[in-house]
Amino acid sequence: MSPRFDAADYLATPEARADYMAAALEEGDASEIRRALNTVARSLGMMAIAEEAGLGRESLYKALGENGNPEFATVLKLMKAMGLKLSALPIDKE
């Protein structure tokens, strides 16, 4: 049996993490954004991200878990801890 694919294994650079998050944000689906936050956090180490964001490790796992629904303030803390920032772009209306 081959090992299961984990995108976190391929997010080794800030640019790769930013591109991954940008793609999830572009989709606009809250569940996909939560999954992307989880993947990026795992790529950097959940313990390190929890500490940097000022969150308990268990709280982080719960917020980013399959049934998680992190508050917006938590998302902003996580993004900063991951070395990422949110930005706004106009929607192309063609």
Side-chain angles (χ1 to χ4, degrees), residues 22-43:
L25 291 165
E26 181 80 20
E27 289 293 317
D29 177 79
S31 293
E32 188 59 36
I33 293 167
R34 181 199 37 78
R35 276 191 288 277
L37 285 167
N38 180 301
T39 302
V40 174
R42 287 186 299 103
S43 78

Side-chain angles (χ1 to χ4, degrees), residues 11-61:
L11 301 178
T13 66
E15 294 82 333
R17 291 186 290 272
D19 288 346
Y20 191 79
M21 278 305 309
L25 291 165
E26 181 80 20
E27 289 293 317
D29 177 79
S31 293
E32 188 59 36
I33 293 167
R34 181 199 37 78
R35 276 191 288 277
L37 285 167
N38 180 301
T39 302
V40 174
R42 287 186 299 103
S43 78
L44 293 166
M46 292 292 258
M47 184 73 126
I49 293 302
E51 188 175 300
E52 182 70 26
L55 301 169
R57 187 174 56 92
E58 291 301 319
S59 296
L60 181 58
Y61 278 108

Side-chain angles (χ1 to χ4, degrees), residues 14 17-19 21-22 25 37 75-88:
R17 291 186 290 272
D19 288 346
M21 278 305 309
L25 291 165
L37 285 167
V75 171
L76 293 177
K77 287 179 187 178
L78 291 173
M79 294 286 289
K80 185 175 181 182
M82 294 174 188
L84 301 171
K85 64 181 180 178
L86 292 175
S87 63

Side-chain angles (χ1 to χ4, degrees), residues 3-17:
R4 187 175 176 155
F5 174 80
D6 186 354
D9 294 337
Y10 300 91
L11 301 178
T13 66
E15 294 82 333
R17 291 186 290 272

Side-chain angles (χ1 to χ4, degrees), residues 58-77:
E58 291 301 319
S59 296
L60 181 58
Y61 278 108
K62 184 176 179 180
L64 299 182
E66 199 61 36
N67 296 315
N69 189 18
E71 292 185 13
F72 189 64
T74 300
V75 171
L76 293 177
K77 287 179 187 178

